[in-house]
Amino acid sequence: MSGIGQSIVVTSGKGGTGKTTCTAAIASCLAGLGRRVLVIDGDIGLRNLDLVLGMNEQVPFDYNDVIQGRCTLNDAIVSHRKIKRLSLLAAPMSIMPGDIEPQVFRAIMRAVKPFYDYVLIDCAAGLDTAFQLAAGAAESAILVANTELVSLRDAARTHQLLREMNITDCRLIINRLRPHQIKAGEAANIDEAMDIAGLPLLGLVPEDETVIACANHTTPLVLQGKTAAGLAFLNIAKRIDGQTVQLPKKIKSSPSRFVMPKKKD
């Protein structure tokens, strides 16, 4: 996934997987690695990326203001005050995804890409207009899922739609991982998760209470020092950036009681 001006959509299909937290943390870590990073909030009408990044008081404009001629693109892009090389382009809250033409959103992407090493789009939950808008402007995808069957099945469906959009560079993050459930056979193990989603693994992020605390205090996770989730996101960022970082060892599990979907003939 590495490359100058690489555009990556972070998506999940299902809500509640921690997709926005993943987007913010990965972007922050890539900036910490010295890369120029722009994050675009694709959740039109329900933006939260500015809150997770602690930038909610820094956002005077959004990209609909740019489209409507109320400001320039430079005016709408704001730099993080504490994380160097990280910038945000916020989503509008007063309109719906269908109010923005896909070609216009793609034009914004073309305009910003030359100035950044990575552009990450935080996609809205679901597979409707907002997903089509965000994914249609990206070259590759990161799918965020948990070890629940519903989450993995939605990831598989999302992956299928991405392939239909000719986005073939897709990888999987298992977020909010609870090893004790896997060991007890109460959740899909990593191999099962990869099989169901049909995706190669980019990283595993353990359940970490610090993530919730940071979100509630609108403080970026990477500013909290060494945490289990923070280290996982740093390793993920390194892999995206082309570095060789060994994946965590597979978690040994009891004979699985996880309900696997039947494969079609």
Side-chain angles (χ1 to χ4, degrees), residues 23-219:
T23 305
I26 293 169
S28 300
C29 289
L30 284 168
L33 293 174
R35 305 301 178 232
R36 300 163 300 167
V37 184
L38 174 67
V39 283
I40 300 178
D41 196 331
D43 199 351
I44 298 169
L46 292 171
R47 75 179 187 213
N48 287 305
L49 190 56
D50 57 326
L51 287 171
V52 177
L53 285 169
M55 299 177 71
N56 49 304
E57 296 181 356
Q58 286 186 249
V59 180
F61 301 110
D62 55 61
Y63 46 81
N64 190 51
D65 291 317
V66 178
I67 294 169
Q68 298 301 322
R70 292 189 284 266
C71 70
T72 67
L73 190 54
N74 285 338
D75 292 330
I77 295 174
V78 291
S79 299
H80 201 285
R81 289 171 179 165
K82 295 182 179 180
I83 304 174
K84 294 181 180 180
R85 296 174 291 274
L86 177 62
S87 301
L88 167 70
L89 179 57
M93 296 185 68
S94 59
I95 64 172
M96 299 300 290
D99 295 329
I100 294 181
E101 295 292 333
Q103 63 268 25
V104 175
F105 193 77
R106 290 194 296 270
I108 291 175
M109 180 63 72
R110 288 194 298 271
V112 299
K113 280 179 60 177
F115 301 97
Y116 297 93
D117 299 303
Y118 294 97
V119 180
L120 273 64
I121 309 170
D122 180 31
C123 187
L127 299 174
D128 52 11
T129 305
F131 168 78
Q132 298 289 334
L133 192 71
E139 298 164 320
S140 57
I142 295 172
L143 285 87
V144 181
N146 308 133
T147 53
E148 291 84 358
L149 176 59
V150 171
S151 174
L152 292 168
R153 187 168 64 179
D154 285 358
R157 174 57 178 156
T158 304
H159 182 206
Q160 178 184 352
L161 292 177
L162 289 167
R163 290 199 310 269
E164 292 173 2
M165 298 172 71
N166 295 317
I167 300 176
T168 57
D169 184 6
C170 305
R171 287 191 271 177
L172 176 69
I173 291 177
I174 301 295
N175 191 36
R176 304 186 65 179
L177 186 69
R178 301 176 179 92
H180 66 279
Q181 290 187 322
I182 294 176
K183 290 177 181 178
E186 295 172 352
N189 61 45
I190 306 307
D191 286 331
E192 290 171 332
M194 292 168 63
D195 287 344
I196 295 171
L199 288 161
L201 187 65
L202 179 60
L204 305 174
V205 181
E207 181 75 271
D208 188 337
E209 292 183 357
T210 308
V211 175
I212 300 174
C214 287
N216 288 336
H217 290 91
T218 64
T219 302

